[in-house]
Amino acid sequence: MDDLSVRRYVVAGFVQGVGFRWSAARLARSLGVRGTVSNRPDGTVEVRAVATADVLDRFRQGLRADMPGRVDSIAEHPAESPQSREAPDDFRIVR
């Protein structure tokens, strides 16, 4: 089995107030991704995700497809510390 990877995505576009976070959470749960999704003050949505690399690739592809609103870009940021792989146990919508 592959090791877990940790990724942080910042999704820009028309992604707040349209159900994007709920759809992202549904997608994450269907793929077995753990993490969080939250609105940011600048109008973007931040996703922190933990899963195997291949699952995270499918998750990122899903964030672009069939989501409410409009995704203009998804910026991927460096993985966080290994300790973040241990929490949360599921996928949560925050803020």
Side-chain angles (χ1 to χ4, degrees), residues 5-59:
S5 295
V6 181
R7 296 191 187 159
R8 184 171 70 94
Y9 307 107
V10 177
V11 184
F14 181 53
V15 291
Q16 288 192 15
V18 295
F20 187 91
R21 291 179 301 155
W22 293 99
S23 296
R26 188 175 21 250
L27 173 64
R29 291 175 186 137
S30 75
L31 293 172
V33 174
R34 298 183 333 215
T36 60
V37 60
S38 60
N39 285 338
R40 292 172 29 138
D42 64 1
T44 62
V45 169
E46 180 174 356
V47 181
R48 295 175 182 268
V50 180
T52 60
D54 62 320
V55 169
L56 289 175
D57 290 341
R58 291 197 330 252
F59 179 61

